Amino acid sequence: MVGSASGAVGTAIVRLAAVMGARVIAGASTGDEHWVSDCGADLVIDKHAPDYYMQVERAAPRGVDVWWDASGDDDFEKSVPLLAHGARVIVMAGMQ
């Protein structure tokens, strides 16, 4: 899972994960879906949708193995329960 996947850092993460063979779920703003998909995301979810975290859960019913937050915008209270056992979380920006 790559949050904020449409920015410069997010798209680099998507490309890296895709090249490594990961199934990439990406959160992006409306209008950026095609760009993020072209970068290698298998599924792009509107990160501003009210059911964003529910969509992530449906896309990864056994949990997310890696949650990479490039912006510090992801809600940890909602994202941690979606992690698989032994998952990794990478946060690259400070939370406000």
Side-chain angles (χ1 to χ4, degrees):
M1 176 63 207
V2 180
S4 300
S6 59
V9 173
T11 55
I13 297 164
V14 169
R15 288 177 188 269
L16 176 64
V19 165
M20 294 180 71
R23 177 175 177 262
V24 181
I25 303 169
S29 298
T30 302
D32 292 331
E33 301 95 339
H34 295 293
W35 163 246
V36 176
S37 182
D38 288 347
C39 289
D42 296 291
L43 174 65
V44 182
I45 300 171
D46 178 0
K47 71 175 291 151
H48 301 292
D51 64 341
Y52 172 68
Y53 293 95
M54 189 179 305
Q55 289 185 57
V56 173
E57 183 176 25
R58 282 194 301 262
R62 290 184 285 188
V64 173
D65 294 316
V66 177
W67 194 296
W68 198 319
D69 181 2
S71 68
D73 289 341
D74 290 325
D75 184 337
F76 270 52
E77 287 185 31
K78 293 181 180 176
S79 58
V80 168
L82 304 178
L83 299 174
H85 181 74
R88 305 290 193 265
V89 176
I90 302 163
V91 179
M92 296 182 62
M95 298 179 68
Q96 298 177 4

